[in-house]
């Protein structure tokens, strides 16, 4: 909910199912999701589908380590992430939805099969998303041309 003023007020997300996900981003009593600084840094320019993908990253522990003083809403979960998962995502092979270029950048891409894999740079890590370098089969821009079948 955003108080009916999206995108001008910070949205909130709450997990309704039980048990709540065991993560530093979900309050263990209320299920409220802490989205970090991503909304503030977007200055109201984050699209709702981008916000959903961001919450997916939060729930998957897929983020940069914020340092030893950060414990979120669940210090035990963040310690597990650091000590057992070595700050890697809970599900490292999880595929996140990729939004169409028409939606995110206003670029008509009908029929091109082109999708953005990683538009961020290593300097952008403070935005709440983990930077992933291009695979050797991709070019350094982070783009990969997919067949129309693979792009669907």
């Amino acid at each position: 909910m955003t108080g009916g003023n999206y995108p001008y007020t910070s949205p909130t997300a709450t997990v309704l199912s039980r048990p709540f996900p065991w993560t530093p981003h979900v309050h263990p009593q209320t299920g409220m999701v802490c989205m970090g600084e991503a909304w503030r840094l977007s200055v109201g320019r984050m699209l709702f589908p981008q916000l959903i993908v961001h919450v997916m990253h939060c729930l998957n522990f897929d983020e940069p380590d914020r340092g030893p003083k950060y414990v979120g809403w669940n210090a035990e979960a963040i310690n597990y992430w650091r000590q057992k998962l070595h700050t890697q995502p809970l599900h490292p092979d999880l595929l996140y939805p990729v939004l169409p270029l028409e939606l995110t950048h206003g670029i008509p891409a009908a029929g091109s099969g082109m999708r953005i894999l990683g538009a961020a740079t290593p300097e952008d890590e403070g935005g709440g998303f983990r930077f992933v370098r291009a695979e050797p089969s991709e070019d350094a821009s982070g783009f990969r041309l997919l067949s129309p079948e693979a792009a669907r």
Side-chain angles (χ1 to χ4, degrees), residues 4-26:
N5 201 20
Y6 179 85
Y8 303 105
T9 57
S10 179
T12 60
T14 304
V15 175
L16 300 177
S17 64
R18 299 281 178 140
F20 294 141
W22 192 67
T23 165
H25 291 285
V26 176

Side-chain angles (χ1 to χ4, degrees), residues 4-96:
N5 201 20
Y6 179 85
Y8 303 105
T9 57
S10 179
T12 60
T14 304
V15 175
L16 300 177
S17 64
R18 299 281 178 140
F20 294 141
W22 192 67
T23 165
H25 291 285
V26 176
H27 194 279
Q29 281 80 43
T30 66
M32 183 167 233
V33 178
C34 174
M35 294 180 262
E37 69 282 351
W39 182 261
R40 180 183 55 79
L41 293 174
S42 74
V43 193
R45 293 190 177 117
M46 182 183 288
L47 299 173
F48 185 65
Q50 292 170 313
L51 180 65
I52 292 171
V53 173
H54 174 69
V55 170
M56 292 175 70
H57 279 264
C58 291
L59 296 177
N60 193 31
F61 288 80
D62 193 357
E63 61 181 322
D65 192 343
R66 299 167 192 265
K69 292 184 180 182
Y70 173 75
V71 294
W73 280 335
N74 188 332
E76 189 178 345
I78 203 78
N79 288 335
Y80 177 85
W81 175 66
R82 287 184 178 130
Q83 295 169 9
K84 300 289 186 187
L85 297 178
H86 306 288
T87 69
Q88 294 302 303
L90 186 61
H91 300 284
D93 297 326
L94 180 66
L95 297 176
Y96 298 96

